[in-house]
Amino acid sequence: MNLELMGQKAKAAAYQLASLTAQQKNQLLMAIADKLDEKAADILQANQLDVADALEQQLSAALIDRLTLTVERLADIANDVRKVCQLSDPIGQVVDGGQLDSGLKIERRRVPLGVVAIIYEARPNVTIDVATLCLKTGNAAILRGGKETFRTNAQTVSVIQQALVQQGLPIEAVQAIEDPDRQWVSQLLKLDKYVDMLIPRGGAGLHKLCREQSTIPVITGGIGVCHLYIDEMMNTEQAINVVVNAKKQRPSACNSLETLLIHQAQLTAFLPDFIARMEQEGITLHVDSALLSHPAFSGREYAPVTDAAYRDEWLSLDLNVKAVESLVEAVEHIREYGTQHSDGILTENYHHAQVFVDQVDSAAVYVNASTRFTDGGQFGLGAEVAVSTQKLHARGPMGLEALTTYKWICWGQNTLRD
Amino acid sequence: MNLELMGQKAKAAAYQLASLTAQQKNQLLMAIADKLDEKAADILQANQLDVADALEQQLSAALIDRLTLTVERLADIANDVRKVCQLSDPIGQVVDGGQLDSGLKIERRRVPLGVVAIIYEARPNVTIDVATLCLKTGNAAILRGGKETFRTNAQTVSVIQQALVQQGLPIEAVQAIEDPDRQWVSQLLKLDKYVDMLIPRGGAGLHKLCREQSTIPVITGGIGVCHLYIDEMMNTEQAINVVVNAKKQRPSACNSLETLLIHQAQLTAFLPDFIARMEQEGITLHVDSALLSHPAFSGREYAPVTDAAYRDEWLSLDLNVKAVESLVEAVEHIREYGTQHSDGILTENYHHAQVFVDQVDSAAVYVNASTRFTDGGQFGLGAEVAVSTQKLHARGPMGLEALTTYKWICWGQNTLRD
């Protein structure tokens, strides 16, 4: 394998993809969806071998579930590709424009980024999802999947490449780094000559590696230490319902709740019902040491929350609970311990809602709602490449537009600058 | 000096700046402009010491001119600050929004980035320009200026800080790294915990250093190896006028012309007048070795262009000239040797103009115009922080909008996700 050559060919393919019409790109996606149905047996067989390995290596049940494909799941993936065809193509859109003082006519036109590299973990659907979103926006993709699904990924990439060839397009429009050796990741991170954007989709370690080592612009995100703050003016029952939804609707998601902050004036009214409901829902509380002495917690055993636990995702039915003296203290806690992903306030006070929204510096800020809405589908983007928690280029859920850039086009009549 | 502490204080100041109204920010800018007038003598005195040092070190006349302030130049800088007040404030603008299926009301609101760090070379105006654009958009700034203007920069930063204090704002909203030791730059590049965006404004070496070492998202750009391609269908005299403007109007600018590509069918008609005009304008030609044998070049001495010269900015009255066999070859040359800054075609053929615009992957693409228009002021942005030649976040001239990000705000009625 020669990554330099891979980059070079991806760039050449990207130039071809950039000039495709929306119709041509949709035809390609339909061919991929059909080919996925046609080759389902091969893909499922490869997946069974991956799953067998995972069982042998005694990986966690959650991980094995994530990497397992079934006939239904594969059909859903193919149908998702067909749905991407329905989305409007952002390429070619004129963002703004006009006429300059010199008479030069100017427009800002949306164009593909070029080559997008994605490093992701053991989710076989990501290969198809990400590759089709890149193709829809006229980008070439270099994929590096998790080693747990190498056989499945090889099959799905082969399906995409067959569809590319069938449509008369360069096979290098979608390439995968299939050798699990970590050296290829290190090399990929330095390929800025050819790769225009790098998206790591994985844990905090992968994001740190990319931020530190990559010479390609990186979109970091996907790590969500999300908070809800229960303000002093708030209905207890409704607050508890939102907390349960934010924690339990899908605990493994990055937008699920990790830490609940409660205004001290609410404690006596709120805690008894809250503790009972958490027990009933099977949610394990981790209680701030200063709060443990509250009578509502007496008679039970709770481990105090460590500073490190406030900074980490639980991704399980565990929840940190802390009392704060004020809205200001809640905002300060979120600034210090949050990951700028999704944070919310539950309040009946208009002014407090406005202050929270202004002062909490997160990709998504909620008033009286579950944090679970931070998602490309929910936000109406039609698709999601990743969730960014940095501030450049794209913030929060990234849809098709985040896979584009723009160029300035100037139409003159042999126009000179004075 | 403690950079960690500097970052921490900048972040704290940024939270305060983010909540200022447009009126408060404009009052601050007016105070800075007035203070610049008031302290003109101190600033000019410091600048004279910097210039004296530069003369002693026998720096180039061009560099010395660049770092020299005069009464008039300083007054212009102050007036530029007053002009920034007139620009509309992008902060708070709702980019888009609507109601989700769940009833949740969503809006995407423009907010400041937070803390912006700028590393720049010896131009004393950059300190004021960049600091005021950051303040106008509610960002804190950490500045690292060139060592040749350290005394001048110290004075201008002090003026800004006096205005901050006078307006009751944190002095750490604008901080400068005044110690010329390079170790501070290395430390600054790793300050991703506090700094949201890094803009290097300098040569290729500085950009490479930032791309390789920085853990902060970097905006690279400002290096312009710009091309014009004279198509087979083009009026000779008009083409020559555009070439002269693109090369000569301000040769030291990044958007000035470095390489002229000429369709071979044009050579006989074009070259004699072109060569004569270049001589008259004092422009030195560097001729591609394959083109040197053309009769129009006989009887004179020309150095052939090296591969390296095609990849570098001249920034002087020097121009590379090369013949190409086709539009395709011109596009390929620009892709290989260009810096994706500003490139143009001169043609009377509609179809060729469209193909060039589609296939040349540069921040600004021109048809029948000088490349010298790529500039925030010319493009109607009102100001320019830098010119980006990368594709993420901002491309081409960066105005106030490029100093912002957005947050998603969701307004609910205790809304739960299904």
Side-chain angles (χ1 to χ4, degrees):
Chain A
M1 197 162 47
N2 178 333
L3 236 57
E4 177 82 14
L5 198 66
M6 198 181 238
Q8 212 174 318
K9 287 179 170 176
K11 192 57 127 185
Y15 287 132
Q16 265 189 270
L17 295 174
S19 65
L20 297 181
T21 63
Q23 199 176 27
Q24 288 171 315
K25 289 182 282 189
N26 286 340
Q27 269 166 17
L28 169 62
L29 296 196
M30 290 307 284
I32 291 172
D34 293 347
K35 196 66 86 180
L36 279 172
D37 289 340
E38 186 190 321
K39 301 281 179 186
D42 296 351
I43 298 169
L44 292 172
Q45 197 176 7
N47 186 253
Q48 276 162 17
L49 295 173
D50 282 337
V51 172
D53 270 10
L55 287 166
E56 199 175 312
Q57 287 162 45
Q58 303 186 311
L59 299 185
S60 75
L63 184 61
I64 289 173
D65 179 61
R66 241 168 55 184
L67 62 83
T68 302
L69 283 179
T70 62
V71 175
E72 295 72 29
R73 284 183 181 183
L74 191 55
D76 284 349
I77 292 174
N79 284 329
D80 282 345
V81 176
R82 292 186 182 98
K83 277 182 206 152
V84 173
C85 292
Q86 308 304 317
L87 299 176
S88 74
D89 182 357
I91 299 303
Q93 187 196 332
V94 177
V95 181
D96 49 32
Q99 185 164 316
L100 305 184
D101 293 346
S102 55
L104 201 62
K105 291 185 178 62
I106 189 171
E107 65 181 73
R108 201 148 58 116
R109 187 189 290 181
R110 214 171 267 297
V111 296
L113 283 168
V115 180
V116 178
I118 303 107
I119 304 176
Y120 53 101
E121 292 181 346
R123 287 182 185 269
N125 63 309
V126 173
T127 306
I128 297 287
D129 281 3
V130 159
T132 51
L133 294 173
C134 283
L135 292 171
K136 172 83 182 184
T137 44
N139 291 292
I142 296 179
L143 307 173
R144 162 65 181 208
K147 65 179 185 310
E148 296 81 4
T149 47
F150 261 84
R151 293 190 196 85
T152 317
N153 290 345
Q155 282 297 323
T156 48
V157 168
S158 157
V159 158
I160 297 169
Q161 292 182 332
Q162 288 167 43
L164 283 162
V165 171
Q166 186 186 305
Q167 299 291 312
L169 293 169
I171 196 170
E172 296 90 356
V174 176
Q175 300 175 84
I177 301 174
E178 293 183 352
D179 179 344
D181 193 324
R182 290 291 292 264
Q183 65 144 312
W184 301 113
V185 171
S186 307
Q187 283 193 32
L188 175 60
L189 298 185
K190 305 292 182 196
L191 219 57
D192 58 272
K193 189 173 171 193
Y194 305 108
V195 182
D196 297 288
M197 176 161 84
L198 173 67
I199 306 179
R201 285 181 51 160
L206 175 64
H207 285 264
K208 186 164 179 286
L209 176 78
C210 291
R211 202 162 45 236
E212 287 178 356
Q213 302 288 324
S214 175
T215 56
I216 305 165
V218 181
I219 297 284
T220 53
I223 315 289
V225 176
C226 304
H227 301 77
L228 282 176
Y229 162 60
I230 301 181
D231 192 35
E232 55 193 309
M233 298 178 73
M234 183 60 199
N235 174 291
T236 296
E237 194 192 334
Q238 291 186 318
I240 294 175
N241 288 337
V242 176
V243 170
V244 170
N245 186 268
K247 177 77 257 182
K248 208 180 164 180
Q249 203 263 350
R250 191 165 158 222
S252 65
C254 57
N255 54 19
S256 68
L257 181 67
E258 307 296 0
T259 297
L260 181 68
L261 304 170
I262 309 170
H263 191 283
Q264 59 177 7
Q266 278 281 356
L267 292 174
T268 307
F270 183 79
L271 284 180
D273 288 356
F274 170 70
I275 293 170
R277 179 75 182 277
M278 291 301 111
E279 221 158 85
Q280 181 192 328
E281 300 283 351
I283 295 168
T284 304
L285 296 182
H286 300 259
V287 183
D288 190 81
S289 52
L291 182 58
L292 266 178
S293 59
H294 192 280
F297 290 106
S298 70
R300 295 185 189 78
E301 286 276 328
Y302 295 96
V305 195
T306 61
D307 192 78
Y310 277 129
R311 295 180 195 278
D312 251 354
E313 294 176 290
W314 282 115
L315 300 175
S316 56
L317 289 177
D318 293 80
L319 180 64
N320 306 321
V321 189
K322 185 184 173 175
V324 291
E325 287 188 16
S326 62
L327 172 56
V328 170
E329 195 188 333
V331 169
E332 279 169 0
H333 180 97
I334 294 169
R335 285 178 179 170
E336 174 63 29
Y337 294 94
T339 52
Q340 304 189 303
H341 193 298
S342 302
D343 300 289
I345 182 173
L346 305 179
T347 186
E348 287 166 2
N349 181 293
Y350 170 85
H351 178 67
H352 292 178
Q354 298 290 341
V355 168
F356 188 90
V357 159
D358 284 347
Q359 299 203 346
V360 170
D361 186 24
S362 300
V365 185
Y366 290 85
V367 177
N368 296 334
S370 167
T371 53
R372 284 279 298 122
F373 289 98
T374 310
D375 173 278
Q378 294 290 323
F379 277 12
L381 304 182
E384 182 179 290
V385 189
V387 177
S388 160
T389 54
Q390 58 159 40
K391 293 179 178 174
L392 259 59
H393 189 64
R395 202 173 187 203
M398 296 167 63
L400 291 178
E401 200 182 289
L403 289 171
T404 71
T405 181
Y406 53 81
K407 61 166 81 156
W408 301 85
I409 301 171
C410 299
W411 308 94
Q413 302 289 342
N414 303 312
T415 316
L416 309 181
R417 181 161 169 187
D418 287 333
Chain B
M1 196 162 46
N2 179 333
L3 236 58
E4 177 81 14
L5 199 66
M6 198 180 237
Q8 212 175 314
K9 287 180 171 176
K11 191 59 124 186
Y15 287 132
Q16 263 188 270
L17 294 174
S19 64
L20 297 182
T21 64
Q23 199 175 27
Q24 288 171 314
K25 289 182 283 189
N26 286 340
Q27 268 165 17
L28 170 61
L29 296 196
M30 290 306 285
I32 291 173
D34 292 346
K35 195 65 86 180
L36 278 172
D37 289 340
E38 187 190 320
K39 300 282 178 185
D42 297 350
I43 298 170
L44 291 172
Q45 197 176 10
N47 186 253
Q48 276 162 16
L49 295 174
D50 282 335
V51 171
D53 271 8
L55 286 166
E56 199 175 312
Q57 287 161 46
Q58 301 186 311
L59 299 186
S60 74
L63 185 61
I64 290 174
D65 179 61
R66 241 168 57 185
L67 62 84
T68 302
L69 283 180
T70 61
V71 174
E72 295 73 30
R73 284 182 181 183
L74 191 55
D76 284 348
I77 292 174
N79 284 329
D80 283 345
V81 175
R82 293 187 181 98
K83 278 183 203 149
V84 173
C85 292
Q86 308 304 318
L87 299 177
S88 74
D89 182 357
I91 298 304
Q93 185 196 335
V94 177
V95 181
D96 48 31
Q99 185 163 316
L100 305 184
D101 294 346
S102 56
L104 201 62
K105 291 186 179 63
I106 189 171
E107 64 181 75
R108 201 148 58 115
R109 187 189 290 180
R110 214 170 267 296
V111 296
L113 283 167
V115 180
V116 178
I118 303 107
I119 304 176
Y120 54 101
E121 294 182 342
R123 285 183 186 271
N125 62 309
V126 173
T127 306
I128 297 287
D129 281 3
V130 159
T132 50
L133 294 172
C134 284
L135 293 170
K136 172 82 183 183
T137 45
N139 292 291
I142 297 180
L143 308 172
R144 163 67 182 206
K147 66 178 183 316
E148 295 80 5
T149 46
F150 261 82
R151 292 191 196 85
T152 315
N153 291 344
Q155 282 298 322
T156 49
V157 168
S158 157
V159 159
I160 297 170
Q161 292 181 333
Q162 288 168 42
L164 282 162
V165 171
Q166 185 186 305
Q167 298 292 312
L169 294 170
I171 196 170
E172 296 89 357
V174 175
Q175 300 175 83
I177 301 174
E178 293 183 351
D179 179 345
D181 194 323
R182 291 289 292 264
Q183 64 143 315
W184 301 113
V185 171
S186 306
Q187 282 193 34
L188 175 61
L189 298 185
K190 306 292 183 196
L191 219 59
D192 58 273
K193 189 173 172 194
Y194 305 107
V195 182
D196 296 288
M197 175 161 85
L198 172 68
I199 305 179
R201 284 181 54 160
L206 175 64
H207 285 263
K208 187 164 179 287
L209 176 79
C210 291
R211 202 160 47 235
E212 288 177 357
Q213 302 290 324
S214 174
T215 56
I216 306 165
V218 181
I219 298 284
T220 53
I223 314 290
V225 176
C226 303
H227 300 78
L228 282 176
Y229 162 60
I230 300 182
D231 193 35
E232 54 193 309
M233 298 176 74
M234 184 59 200
N235 174 291
T236 296
E237 193 191 334
Q238 291 186 320
I240 294 174
N241 287 338
V242 176
V243 170
V244 170
N245 186 268
K247 177 76 257 181
K248 208 178 165 182
Q249 203 263 352
R250 193 169 155 217
S252 66
C254 57
N255 55 17
S256 70
L257 180 67
E258 307 297 0
T259 297
L260 180 67
L261 304 170
I262 309 171
H263 192 283
Q264 59 178 5
Q266 279 279 359
L267 293 173
T268 306
F270 184 79
L271 284 180
D273 287 356
F274 170 71
I275 293 171
R277 179 76 181 277
M278 291 302 111
E279 221 158 86
Q280 183 191 330
E281 300 283 350
I283 296 169
T284 304
L285 296 182
H286 300 258
V287 184
D288 190 81
S289 52
L291 182 58
L292 266 179
S293 59
H294 192 281
F297 291 106
S298 70
R300 295 183 190 80
E301 286 276 330
Y302 294 96
V305 195
T306 61
D307 192 78
Y310 277 129
R311 295 180 194 280
D312 251 354
E313 295 177 288
W314 281 113
L315 302 175
S316 55
L317 288 177
D318 293 79
L319 179 64
N320 306 321
V321 189
K322 185 186 173 173
V324 291
E325 287 188 14
S326 62
L327 172 56
V328 171
E329 195 189 331
V331 169
E332 278 167 1
H333 180 96
I334 294 169
R335 284 177 180 170
E336 174 62 29
Y337 293 94
T339 52
Q340 305 189 302
H341 192 297
S342 302
D343 300 288
I345 183 173
L346 306 180
T347 186
E348 286 165 5
N349 181 293
Y350 171 84
H351 179 67
H352 292 178
Q354 297 290 339
V355 168
F356 188 90
V357 160
D358 284 348
Q359 299 204 346
V360 170
D361 186 25
S362 300
V365 185
Y366 290 85
V367 177
N368 296 336
S370 167
T371 54
R372 283 280 298 124
F373 290 98
T374 309
D375 173 278
Q378 293 291 323
F379 277 13
L381 304 181
E384 181 179 290
V385 189
V387 176
S388 160
T389 54
Q390 57 159 41
K391 295 179 177 175
L392 258 60
H393 189 63
R395 202 175 186 201
M398 295 167 64
L400 291 178
E401 200 183 288
L403 289 172
T404 71
T405 181
Y406 54 82
K407 61 166 81 157
W408 301 85
I409 301 171
C410 298
W411 308 95
Q413 301 290 342
N414 303 313
T415 316
L416 310 181
R417 181 161 169 186
D418 287 334

